[in-house]
Amino acid sequence: MTTPDHYAALGVAPDATPDEIRRAWRFAIEAFHPDRYAASEQRDRANDMATRVNAAWEVLGDVGKRAAYDQRRRAGDDHGPLMREVPCPSCLVRCGVPDQGGRAIDVRCPGCGSSFRAHVGATLVGRPQLVWRGLSGRHVLVLLDRHGTLSEVVARRLPPELALSEGEVVTVVRGGRRGDARYVIVHGHTTDLGWKVG
Ligand SMILES: [Zn+2]
């Protein structure tokens, strides 16, 4: 893998919060400050570490850059494509789909033969925003794909148990005439959680 491990450079976990990342970076640039070291080979090494730490901060300290990096990292450290299970909105059969890094694709259901649109493995930008249209609320989700393209998807309801937070990796199944969200699947580190949202 040629992608540098920015999380290792800062000594934080891949699910570290922005605050943890900022604190780790501050600590590291101080710890590796060349003035702290007398021997020249130590100074060189400290310089080298500081360069890596700053490169990590430049990516992980920026929400958009971090999301894109995470997607590359996930795609790179797996054997073969990561498979996502996506429910067919017509018959609920679970369709195995390779992770698309958030790109919207048409999935053909092997159960009923119908096609549906899904953003597979997208990164959630910000938290869903509740927008009122007359008396009915709509939740607007902003999704980012690995090429940096943003898409807005509307969900009619979001269950309160669905803790959608910034940076979450999700698959959104769309349907209906307006292409509203039907299902949101949150891809956790070990399990996926799926919810009907429309
Ligand atoms: Zn189906």
Side-chain angles (χ1 to χ4, degrees):
M1 198 167 91
T2 51
T3 315
D5 191 340
H6 293 320
Y7 291 104
L10 290 180
V12 295
D15 61 353
T17 64
D19 198 46
E20 284 167 341
I21 289 170
R22 173 181 288 276
R23 273 184 282 137
W25 169 64
R26 287 224 165 121
F27 174 81
I29 47 169
E30 205 165 302
F32 296 128
H33 197 286
D35 290 355
R36 293 174 76 109
Y37 302 93
S40 69
E41 69 267 28
Q42 281 183 323
R43 269 203 305 277
D44 288 349
R45 183 154 166 73
N47 253 327
D48 191 49
M49 299 295 270
T51 303
R52 268 196 278 167
V53 160
N54 281 323
W57 168 249
E58 205 181 301
V59 173
L60 302 184
D62 179 282
V63 171
K65 285 183 191 169
R66 182 183 179 187
Y69 169 74
D70 282 347
Q71 285 179 345
R72 277 201 312 276
R73 197 168 166 272
R74 274 198 307 275
D77 58 14
D78 273 297
H79 317 282
L82 180 59
M83 294 300 284
R84 300 298 194 187
E85 288 211 325
V86 181
C88 165
S90 305
C91 72
L92 296 181
V93 154
R94 283 162 176 242
C95 311
V97 181
D99 191 284
Q100 304 290 320
R103 198 164 59 90
I105 56 161
D106 290 315
V107 179
R108 175 165 268 272
C109 168
C112 68
S114 68
S115 287
F116 60 91
R117 198 137 184 88
H119 300 257
V120 184
T123 300
L124 194 69
V125 179
R127 293 176 64 93
Q129 295 294 313
L130 182 59
V131 174
W132 289 95
R133 233 181 262 158
L135 287 175
S136 58
R138 297 271 190 279
H139 301 268
V140 178
L141 284 74
V142 180
L143 306 174
L144 174 74
D145 76 16
R146 73 157 76 97
H147 303 295
T149 307
L150 294 170
S151 313
E152 272 191 10
V153 188
V154 169
R156 254 173 277 170
R157 54 175 170 270
L158 282 185
E161 314 89 278
L162 181 56
L164 281 174
S165 45
E166 174 95 49
E168 207 85 66
V169 179
V170 298
T171 288
V172 176
V173 173
R174 304 178 73 155
R177 264 180 298 124
R178 285 196 305 265
D180 285 353
R182 291 288 180 78
Y183 293 92
V184 173
I185 298 103
V186 178
H187 301 297
H189 285 292
T190 49
T191 49
D192 288 353
L193 280 175
W195 305 88
K196 196 171 190 313
V197 297

